[in-house]
């Protein structure tokens, strides 16, 4: 039911990328908008904390990339992007390997120098596991796809840490395919557009929310009745199971925790923005050195160790566990959401999905267009 004397046309719950893009479009169309955010800052997980002139990606590395011309134009009309290219390094027991799997990686693994030599070695390793007709778990799937060396050094430990379970207990769908790039190209993404907003992601969110009323430290679910009465429509971007008071049970996630460290006497800690640590014995999955995202030249640095974590109340849900049980549970919640007349649902938490930033923007724009507002 639409409140008869609503103060706002739209109440947007959550100031992450989805909510901010939707609010931006609604505001441009002359709609009265209020954005509320339960955290102390706007921007959701792309928020950057400025530490001595270095923009620290507070909730993990975010690199914008897209193959969509219109999406690239959309963000660039709001903020300028630099030319950062994501080229992560993998560290396995002190040895370094380029990612994604490309000719540099294969040379580092086996000393091969030509694409044919690389494919011969990959096929030789795959053939050891040709007897696996229908893989029963992630380990068998990966061995069948890439063989022992790549799996044991660059996949097994990292994946087991990320999901908190042995690879033999993980479903095969986590790795549907393993792309091999037979060129000496360390660019992680194939998309033609890639970069970091100059000055950090806060610049992008601030541009999206310019002119719009925003309230931080405000929890919608704790004041649902009050907030539902002040707007004609609500866009909810939080966890969909929380919105419905976990009626069918809790959707499962993996979480993360971050250890941010300022190093005053070091200008360059690891020479790269992202270094993955692939052995299971090291508890963190990667170290991020934030200055490299924006080609910083400060005489000090800030690094972040990223640790996978179990999810429970009070922790941030990062990665949905999209197995059959959870996907079925989500469908039940989605059916409830479709019955709502005042509330719209969007974003990774409301849609129980992992989404790249460009896809998030596209989905928010599509939702706005489908409403047919002018």
């Amino acid at each position: 039911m639409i409140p008869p004397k609503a103060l706002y046309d739209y109440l947007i719950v959550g100031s992450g990328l989805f909510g901010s893009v939707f609010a931006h479009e609604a505001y441009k169309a002359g709609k009265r908008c209020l954005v509320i955010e339960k955290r102390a800052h706007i921007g959701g997980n792309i928020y950057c904390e400025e530490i001595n002139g270095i923009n620290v990606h507070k909730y993990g590395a975010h690199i914008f990339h897209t193959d969509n011309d219109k999406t690239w134009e959309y963000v660039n009309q709001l903020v300028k992007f630099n030319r950062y290219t994501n080229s992560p390094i993998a560290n396995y027991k002190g040895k370094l390997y380029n990612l994604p799997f490309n000719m540099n990686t294969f040379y580092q693994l086996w000393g091969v120098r030509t694409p044919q030599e690389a494919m011969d070695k990959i096929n030789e390793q795959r053939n050891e596991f040709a007897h696996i007709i229908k893989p029963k778990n992630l380990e068998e799937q990966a061995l069948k796809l890439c063989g022992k060396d790549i799996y044991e050094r660059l996949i097994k430990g990292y994946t087991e840490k990320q999901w908190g379970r042995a690879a033999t207990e993980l479903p095969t769908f986590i790795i549907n395919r393993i792309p091999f790039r037979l060129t000496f190209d360390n660019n992680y993404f194939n998309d033609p557009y890639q970069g970091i907003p100059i000055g950090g992601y806060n610049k992008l969110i601030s541009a999206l929310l310019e002119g719009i009323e925003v309230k931080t430290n405000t929890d919608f679910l704790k004041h649902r009745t009050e907030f539902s009465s002040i707007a004609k429509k609500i866009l909810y971007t939080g966890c969909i199971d929380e919105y419905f008071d976990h009626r069918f049970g809790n959707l499962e996630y993996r979480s993360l925790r971050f250890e941010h460290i300022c190093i005053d006497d070091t200008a360059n800690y690891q020479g790269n923005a992202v270094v993955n640590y692939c052995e299971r014995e090291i508890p963190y999955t990667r170290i991020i050195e934030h200055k490299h995202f924006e080609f910083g030249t400060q005489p000090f640095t800030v690094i972040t160790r990223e640790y996978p974590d179990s999810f429970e109340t009070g922790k941030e849900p990062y990665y949905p566990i999209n197995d059959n049980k959870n996907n079925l549970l989500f469908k039940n919640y989605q059916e409830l959401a479709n019955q709502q007349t005042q509330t719209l649902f969007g974003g990774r938490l409301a849609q129980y999905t992992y989404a790249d930033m460009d896809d998030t923007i596209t989905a928010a724009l599509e939702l706005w267009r489908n409403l047919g507002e002018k």
Side-chain angles (χ1 to χ4, degrees), residues 30-289:
K31 302 302 179 182
R32 298 165 298 168
C33 297
L34 171 64
V35 176
I36 62 173
E37 169 60 58
K38 68 179 180 180
R39 290 174 175 172
H41 59 75
I42 59 174
N45 288 346
I46 65 172
Y47 169 75
C48 294
E49 179 182 2
E50 189 269 327
I51 299 178
N52 297 331
I54 296 174
N55 291 307
V56 174
H57 294 209
K58 190 75 171 176
Y59 304 99
H62 286 83
I63 298 104
F64 193 90
H65 59 97
T66 186
D67 61 356
N68 189 306
D69 294 343
K70 291 183 178 179
T71 303
W72 186 242
E73 291 170 8
Y74 185 85
V75 294
N76 275 270
Q77 70 184 353
L78 297 162
V79 64
K80 291 183 178 180
F81 279 69
N82 68 17
R83 57 173 181 80
Y84 176 81
T85 299
N86 188 30
S87 302
I89 299 292
N91 184 319
Y92 179 73
K93 296 187 176 180
K95 292 186 177 180
L96 302 180
Y97 303 89
N98 289 107
L99 297 175
F101 304 142
N102 70 80
M103 285 301 299
N104 288 309
T105 323
F106 307 140
Y107 176 76
Q108 291 151 355
L109 282 165
W110 305 308
V112 296
R113 290 176 169 81
T114 69
Q116 187 59 56
E117 288 176 345
M119 280 311 305
D120 289 345
K121 189 66 178 180
I122 290 168
N123 288 330
E124 174 191 318
Q125 296 244 321
R126 284 169 165 168
N127 288 339
E128 291 183 40
F129 303 94
H131 61 280
I132 301 175
I133 306 301
K134 188 174 181 180
K136 299 188 293 291
N137 52 57
L138 182 145
E139 178 163 290
E140 290 187 355
Q141 174 86 332
L143 288 170
K144 185 177 177 65
L145 289 172
C146 68
K148 185 176 180 181
D149 288 347
I150 291 174
Y151 169 67
E152 291 191 346
R153 297 187 203 187
L154 302 176
I155 296 175
K156 177 179 169 64
Y158 187 95
T159 305
E160 289 182 339
K161 286 189 288 187
Q162 189 78 316
W163 294 100
R165 293 160 61 186
T168 52
E169 299 172 3
L170 289 168
T172 58
F173 76 80
I174 292 175
I175 297 182
N176 288 322
R177 69 186 191 93
I178 296 175
F180 300 113
R181 187 179 290 170
L182 296 174
T183 57
F184 291 89
D185 181 6
N186 298 325
N187 180 1
Y188 194 81
F189 302 118
N190 291 319
D191 295 333
Y193 307 115
Q194 182 176 178
I196 303 288
I198 295 173
Y201 283 97
N202 296 357
K203 298 275 189 181
L204 175 60
I205 295 295
S206 294
L208 286 167
L209 296 179
E210 185 177 359
I212 299 171
E213 185 178 352
V214 179
K215 293 183 179 180
T216 55
N217 295 306
T218 304
D219 192 329
F220 170 79
L221 295 178
K222 289 181 178 178
H223 307 280
R224 187 193 303 239
T225 303
E226 171 193 344
F227 281 117
S228 297
S229 67
I230 65 172
K232 294 178 182 178
K233 290 282 187 179
I234 297 168
L235 170 64
Y236 180 79
T237 68
C239 292
I240 194 169
D241 54 339
E242 286 187 6
Y243 182 90
F244 292 108
D245 298 318
H246 305 285
R247 185 179 305 181
F248 302 117
N250 293 358
L251 289 168
E252 295 179 301
Y253 292 87
R254 284 290 286 170
S255 189
L256 297 170
R257 63 184 178 87
F258 303 96
E259 181 184 13
H260 305 291
I261 304 168
C262 299
I263 307 177
D264 294 331
D265 60 352
T266 300
N268 189 348
Y269 179 79
Q270 62 187 18
N272 205 52
V274 180
V275 177
N276 293 351
Y277 285 79
C278 295
E279 63 263 42
R280 184 75 183 264
E281 293 74 20
I282 292 178
Y284 43 86
T285 50
R286 58 184 179 175
I287 293 180
I288 302 161
E289 188 169 10

Side-chain angles (χ1 to χ4, degrees), residues 336-349:
L336 284 182
N338 291 337
Q339 297 168 19
Q340 303 299 301
T341 57
Q342 185 188 8
T343 305
L344 308 165
F345 295 83
R348 65 183 184 90
L349 299 178

Side-chain angles (χ1 to χ4, degrees), residues 279-319:
E279 63 263 42
R280 184 75 183 264
E281 293 74 20
I282 292 178
Y284 43 86
T285 50
R286 58 184 179 175
I287 293 180
I288 302 161
E289 188 169 10
H290 302 270
K291 66 189 302 180
H292 296 306
F293 289 128
E294 299 184 63
F295 313 110
T297 58
Q298 298 89 345
F300 49 84
T301 195
V302 180
I303 65 168
T304 297
R305 294 191 181 111
E306 184 174 305
Y307 297 83
D309 199 6
S310 58
F311 174 68
E312 57 191 43
T313 302
K315 294 180 181 179
E316 180 67 22
Y318 284 93
Y319 301 110

